[in-house]
Amino acid sequence: MRRTIFSAEHELFRESVAEFCRRHVEPNLDRWRKERWTGREIWEEAGRQDFIGLAMPAEYGGAGLADFRFNQVLGEGLAAASLAVNSALCLGVDVVAPYLLELTDEEQKRRYVPDFCAGRLITSIGMTEPQAGSDLAALRTRAVRDGDGWVLNGAKTFITNGSAADLVVVAARTGEGRKDVSLFLLEGGAEGFQRGRKLEKVGQHEADTAELFFEDVRLPAWSLLGEANRGFDYMMERLPQERLSVAVANVAHAAAALETTLDYVRERQAFGRPIGSFQHSRFLLAEMQTEIDAARAFVDQCVMAHVEGELTAVDAAKAKWWTAELQNEILDRCVQLHGGYGFMDEYRVARFWADGRVSKIWGGTNEIMKDLIGRSMGLG
């Protein structure tokens, strides 16, 4: 199905992203899986190609492309090559960048944004805690005022880029109210900031995911991001873009799994004919292609709503939960069509399957998404 939301400039950018993935992502995936992270070289190369600072103003070294369709094109290309690399890079491009662009003062921008755009500053965001996942108002990490600064104590878990991050946006409780949360810019070398083990995940081995610990970390006054006790609102305002980014990746990842499955069923023989020629296989593949086209059309419209400043939190939640469910259904069917080979790690579809399961959990669980949607219908 022809997509109508992109201009010629977006399509040229798509070619650049595809070449980037062919030259710099795909040849390194096996090594990154063993090392359990992508290495700084991919960040620096992405920075050289103006991918990291897509929406950042040119005066800070960014590309000045404040049009989420460029983020979408980048996310689709990366997710098709590796959902883990998409997770690592797009966390910076789609999730951290809005905090650095919209909430920092001029001094903070000058300190961090040029290196961020150049890929020299790996970033992460510390929201999730051992006892607080989707319920951001239940955070236990706390920052208390001390003189003209703050002292930070607590822990975070499941933090993408956690082991390598040079800068972490940390959410911490700063008052007694349920939503009295503030955000801080924590530099990687701060005294009292410790990284835990790299977590051994079921999939997405190329993405560094870690635990973070804060023990009497002293933060200067200027490390506060935005206003004190406004952090909960800041996070709620920016979660729709994060969830839209997840939805973009979900559809692209499912489409790539279908593509590699089509290649397989055209070649694999059973009873003297390609397995793709059997009616059951044809019907299943036809269903998957149609479902992907429908999901992509919905996500494209959500992207356009976001570009026009009209994407609601509810529509972002719809896109996130629906594409995650569909993605996992398609991945399971693609594995089944591969038979026993679909369960072998050396086959791309098996890695896709393992990498994709988390999409129903992160960015807010699918159950939380449906609850949000239901409440918007007057049901809560």
Side-chain angles (χ1 to χ4, degrees), residues 6-23:
F6 300 109
S7 69
E9 188 177 6
H10 296 117
E11 296 304 338
L12 284 173
F13 183 64
R14 192 183 303 279
E15 293 176 11
S16 297
V17 172
E19 182 63 17
F20 172 81
C21 290
R22 281 193 294 269
R23 295 182 59 186

PDB file of all heavy atoms in Angstrom, residues 6-23:
ATOM      1  N   PHE A   6       4.821  10.966   3.368  1.00  0.00           N
ATOM      2  CA  PHE A   6       6.228  11.316   3.208  1.00  0.00           C
ATOM      3  C   PHE A   6       6.479  12.135   1.950  1.00  0.00           C
ATOM      4  O   PHE A   6       5.854  11.916   0.910  1.00  0.00           O
ATOM      5  CB  PHE A   6       7.096  10.051   3.167  1.00  0.00           C
ATOM      6  CG  PHE A   6       6.992   9.211   4.403  1.00  0.00           C
ATOM      7  CD1 PHE A   6       6.337   7.991   4.381  1.00  0.00           C
ATOM      8  CD2 PHE A   6       7.535   9.650   5.597  1.00  0.00           C
ATOM      9  CE1 PHE A   6       6.229   7.210   5.514  1.00  0.00           C
ATOM     10  CE2 PHE A   6       7.435   8.883   6.744  1.00  0.00           C
ATOM     11  CZ  PHE A   6       6.774   7.658   6.705  1.00  0.00           C
ATOM     12  N   SER A   7       7.427  13.071   2.051  1.00  0.00           N
ATOM     13  CA  SER A   7       7.862  13.869   0.905  1.00  0.00           C
ATOM     14  C   SER A   7       9.088  13.214   0.275  1.00  0.00           C
ATOM     15  O   SER A   7       9.634  12.231   0.793  1.00  0.00           O
ATOM     16  CB  SER A   7       8.221  15.281   1.366  1.00  0.00           C
ATOM     17  OG  SER A   7       9.405  15.245   2.166  1.00  0.00           O
ATOM     18  N   ALA A   8       9.548  13.780  -0.806  1.00  0.00           N
ATOM     19  CA  ALA A   8      10.762  13.281  -1.458  1.00  0.00           C
ATOM     20  C   ALA A   8      11.957  13.380  -0.517  1.00  0.00           C
ATOM     21  O   ALA A   8      12.857  12.520  -0.527  1.00  0.00           O
ATOM     22  CB  ALA A   8      11.027  14.063  -2.743  1.00  0.00           C
ATOM     23  N   GLU A   9      11.967  14.411   0.317  1.00  0.00           N
ATOM     24  CA  GLU A   9      13.069  14.580   1.267  1.00  0.00           C
ATOM     25  C   GLU A   9      13.087  13.440   2.290  1.00  0.00           C
ATOM     26  O   GLU A   9      14.156  12.932   2.645  1.00  0.00           O
ATOM     27  CB  GLU A   9      12.930  15.928   1.984  1.00  0.00           C
ATOM     28  CG  GLU A   9      14.137  16.277   2.850  1.00  0.00           C
ATOM     29  CD  GLU A   9      14.022  17.647   3.489  1.00  0.00           C
ATOM     30  OE1 GLU A   9      12.952  18.286   3.360  1.00  0.00           O
ATOM     31  OE2 GLU A   9      15.003  18.077   4.135  1.00  0.00           O
ATOM     32  N   HIS A  10      11.915  13.033   2.732  1.00  0.00           N
ATOM     33  CA  HIS A  10      11.850  11.903   3.662  1.00  0.00           C
ATOM     34  C   HIS A  10      12.353  10.620   2.999  1.00  0.00           C
ATOM     35  O   HIS A  10      13.039   9.809   3.644  1.00  0.00           O
ATOM     36  CB  HIS A  10      10.421  11.687   4.150  1.00  0.00           C
ATOM     37  CG  HIS A  10       9.869  12.818   4.958  1.00  0.00           C
ATOM     38  ND1 HIS A  10       8.797  13.556   4.553  1.00  0.00           N
ATOM     39  CD2 HIS A  10      10.259  13.348   6.150  1.00  0.00           C
ATOM     40  CE1 HIS A  10       8.529  14.483   5.459  1.00  0.00           C
ATOM     41  NE2 HIS A  10       9.405  14.381   6.429  1.00  0.00           N
ATOM     42  N   GLU A  11      12.022  10.424   1.744  1.00  0.00           N
ATOM     43  CA  GLU A  11      12.434   9.201   1.053  1.00  0.00           C
ATOM     44  C   GLU A  11      13.938   9.188   0.795  1.00  0.00           C
ATOM     45  O   GLU A  11      14.576   8.132   0.857  1.00  0.00           O
ATOM     46  CB  GLU A  11      11.648   9.038  -0.246  1.00  0.00           C
ATOM     47  CG  GLU A  11      10.147   8.850  -0.042  1.00  0.00           C
ATOM     48  CD  GLU A  11       9.790   7.672   0.854  1.00  0.00           C
ATOM     49  OE1 GLU A  11      10.619   6.752   1.001  1.00  0.00           O
ATOM     50  OE2 GLU A  11       8.674   7.671   1.416  1.00  0.00           O
ATOM     51  N   LEU A  12      14.524  10.340   0.530  1.00  0.00           N
ATOM     52  CA  LEU A  12      15.984  10.415   0.413  1.00  0.00           C
ATOM     53  C   LEU A  12      16.639  10.070   1.745  1.00  0.00           C
ATOM     54  O   LEU A  12      17.662   9.379   1.794  1.00  0.00           O
ATOM     55  CB  LEU A  12      16.408  11.813  -0.044  1.00  0.00           C
ATOM     56  CG  LEU A  12      16.202  12.136  -1.520  1.00  0.00           C
ATOM     57  CD1 LEU A  12      16.501  13.609  -1.786  1.00  0.00           C
ATOM     58  CD2 LEU A  12      17.100  11.255  -2.396  1.00  0.00           C
ATOM     59  N   PHE A  13      16.040  10.564   2.815  1.00  0.00           N
ATOM     60  CA  PHE A  13      16.550  10.249   4.153  1.00  0.00           C
ATOM     61  C   PHE A  13      16.438   8.746   4.420  1.00  0.00           C
ATOM     62  O   PHE A  13      17.341   8.145   5.014  1.00  0.00           O
ATOM     63  CB  PHE A  13      15.786  11.046   5.195  1.00  0.00           C
ATOM     64  CG  PHE A  13      16.287  10.859   6.604  1.00  0.00           C
ATOM     65  CD1 PHE A  13      17.560  11.267   6.969  1.00  0.00           C
ATOM     66  CD2 PHE A  13      15.479  10.268   7.571  1.00  0.00           C
ATOM     67  CE1 PHE A  13      18.033  11.089   8.269  1.00  0.00           C
ATOM     68  CE2 PHE A  13      15.939  10.088   8.863  1.00  0.00           C
ATOM     69  CZ  PHE A  13      17.215  10.500   9.217  1.00  0.00           C
ATOM     70  N   ARG A  14      15.368   8.124   3.944  1.00  0.00           N
ATOM     71  CA  ARG A  14      15.193   6.686   4.124  1.00  0.00           C
ATOM     72  C   ARG A  14      16.346   5.914   3.466  1.00  0.00           C
ATOM     73  O   ARG A  14      16.841   4.916   3.998  1.00  0.00           O
ATOM     74  CB  ARG A  14      13.851   6.239   3.542  1.00  0.00           C
ATOM     75  CG  ARG A  14      13.466   4.814   3.931  1.00  0.00           C
ATOM     76  CD  ARG A  14      12.150   4.383   3.268  1.00  0.00           C
ATOM     77  NE  ARG A  14      11.045   5.266   3.586  1.00  0.00           N
ATOM     78  CZ  ARG A  14      10.342   5.208   4.719  1.00  0.00           C
ATOM     79  NH1 ARG A  14      10.635   4.317   5.628  1.00  0.00           N
ATOM     80  NH2 ARG A  14       9.323   6.046   4.920  1.00  0.00           N
ATOM     81  N   GLU A  15      16.772   6.366   2.307  1.00  0.00           N
ATOM     82  CA  GLU A  15      17.894   5.719   1.623  1.00  0.00           C
ATOM     83  C   GLU A  15      19.177   5.855   2.444  1.00  0.00           C
ATOM     84  O   GLU A  15      19.974   4.908   2.531  1.00  0.00           O
ATOM     85  CB  GLU A  15      18.089   6.330   0.233  1.00  0.00           C
ATOM     86  CG  GLU A  15      16.942   6.051  -0.725  1.00  0.00           C
ATOM     87  CD  GLU A  15      17.115   6.759  -2.056  1.00  0.00           C
ATOM     88  OE1 GLU A  15      18.223   7.287  -2.311  1.00  0.00           O
ATOM     89  OE2 GLU A  15      16.140   6.791  -2.836  1.00  0.00           O
ATOM     90  N   SER A  16      19.372   7.007   3.059  1.00  0.00           N
ATOM     91  CA  SER A  16      20.554   7.208   3.901  1.00  0.00           C
ATOM     92  C   SER A  16      20.530   6.288   5.109  1.00  0.00           C
ATOM     93  O   SER A  16      21.558   5.709   5.495  1.00  0.00           O
ATOM     94  CB  SER A  16      20.630   8.665   4.363  1.00  0.00           C
ATOM     95  OG  SER A  16      20.780   9.542   3.275  1.00  0.00           O
ATOM     96  N   VAL A  17      19.353   6.144   5.724  1.00  0.00           N
ATOM     97  CA  VAL A  17      19.224   5.256   6.877  1.00  0.00           C
ATOM     98  C   VAL A  17      19.487   3.805   6.467  1.00  0.00           C
ATOM     99  O   VAL A  17      20.178   3.062   7.177  1.00  0.00           O
ATOM    100  CB  VAL A  17      17.828   5.401   7.510  1.00  0.00           C
ATOM    101  CG1 VAL A  17      17.610   4.347   8.593  1.00  0.00           C
ATOM    102  CG2 VAL A  17      17.646   6.801   8.094  1.00  0.00           C
ATOM    103  N   ALA A  18      18.949   3.397   5.323  1.00  0.00           N
ATOM    104  CA  ALA A  18      19.163   2.028   4.855  1.00  0.00           C
ATOM    105  C   ALA A  18      20.646   1.754   4.620  1.00  0.00           C
ATOM    106  O   ALA A  18      21.159   0.680   4.982  1.00  0.00           O
ATOM    107  CB  ALA A  18      18.365   1.786   3.578  1.00  0.00           C
ATOM    108  N   GLU A  19      21.336   2.703   4.034  1.00  0.00           N
ATOM    109  CA  GLU A  19      22.777   2.539   3.796  1.00  0.00           C
ATOM    110  C   GLU A  19      23.535   2.486   5.113  1.00  0.00           C
ATOM    111  O   GLU A  19      24.472   1.692   5.280  1.00  0.00           O
ATOM    112  CB  GLU A  19      23.291   3.686   2.930  1.00  0.00           C
ATOM    113  CG  GLU A  19      24.765   3.602   2.575  1.00  0.00           C
ATOM    114  CD  GLU A  19      25.117   2.388   1.726  1.00  0.00           C
ATOM    115  OE1 GLU A  19      24.196   1.770   1.122  1.00  0.00           O
ATOM    116  OE2 GLU A  19      26.316   2.050   1.652  1.00  0.00           O
ATOM    117  N   PHE A  20      23.155   3.311   6.054  1.00  0.00           N
ATOM    118  CA  PHE A  20      23.758   3.304   7.390  1.00  0.00           C
ATOM    119  C   PHE A  20      23.611   1.921   8.032  1.00  0.00           C
ATOM    120  O   PHE A  20      24.571   1.380   8.594  1.00  0.00           O
ATOM    121  CB  PHE A  20      23.088   4.371   8.252  1.00  0.00           C
ATOM    122  CG  PHE A  20      23.469   4.354   9.704  1.00  0.00           C
ATOM    123  CD1 PHE A  20      24.654   4.936  10.134  1.00  0.00           C
ATOM    124  CD2 PHE A  20      22.632   3.766  10.647  1.00  0.00           C
ATOM    125  CE1 PHE A  20      25.001   4.924  11.482  1.00  0.00           C
ATOM    126  CE2 PHE A  20      22.972   3.747  11.993  1.00  0.00           C
ATOM    127  CZ  PHE A  20      24.165   4.332  12.409  1.00  0.00           C
ATOM    128  N   CYS A  21      22.426   1.344   7.930  1.00  0.00           N
ATOM    129  CA  CYS A  21      22.189   0.024   8.516  1.00  0.00           C
ATOM    130  C   CYS A  21      22.997  -1.056   7.807  1.00  0.00           C
ATOM    131  O   CYS A  21      23.553  -1.958   8.451  1.00  0.00           O
ATOM    132  CB  CYS A  21      20.696  -0.302   8.481  1.00  0.00           C
ATOM    133  SG  CYS A  21      19.707   0.702   9.611  1.00  0.00           S
ATOM    134  N   ARG A  22      23.072  -0.980   6.482  1.00  0.00           N
ATOM    135  CA  ARG A  22      23.849  -1.976   5.716  1.00  0.00           C
ATOM    136  C   ARG A  22      25.335  -1.911   6.068  1.00  0.00           C
ATOM    137  O   ARG A  22      25.989  -2.960   6.208  1.00  0.00           O
ATOM    138  CB  ARG A  22      23.661  -1.754   4.215  1.00  0.00           C
ATOM    139  CG  ARG A  22      22.356  -2.290   3.652  1.00  0.00           C
ATOM    140  CD  ARG A  22      22.379  -2.307   2.137  1.00  0.00           C
ATOM    141  NE  ARG A  22      22.440  -0.964   1.580  1.00  0.00           N
ATOM    142  CZ  ARG A  22      21.387  -0.226   1.256  1.00  0.00           C
ATOM    143  NH1 ARG A  22      20.171  -0.709   1.434  1.00  0.00           N
ATOM    144  NH2 ARG A  22      21.529   0.986   0.748  1.00  0.00           N
ATOM    145  N   ARG A  23      25.861  -0.731   6.231  1.00  0.00           N
ATOM    146  CA  ARG A  23      27.308  -0.565   6.424  1.00  0.00           C
ATOM    147  C   ARG A  23      27.740  -0.630   7.878  1.00  0.00           C
ATOM    148  O   ARG A  23      28.836  -1.126   8.180  1.00  0.00           O
ATOM    149  CB  ARG A  23      27.753   0.767   5.821  1.00  0.00           C
ATOM    150  CG  ARG A  23      27.606   0.852   4.315  1.00  0.00           C
ATOM    151  CD  ARG A  23      28.118   2.185   3.787  1.00  0.00           C
ATOM    152  NE  ARG A  23      29.521   2.391   4.116  1.00  0.00           N
ATOM    153  CZ  ARG A  23      30.181   3.526   3.875  1.00  0.00           C
ATOM    154  NH1 ARG A  23      29.553   4.546   3.308  1.00  0.00           N
ATOM    155  NH2 ARG A  23      31.453   3.644   4.181  1.00  0.00           N
TER     156      ARG A  23
END
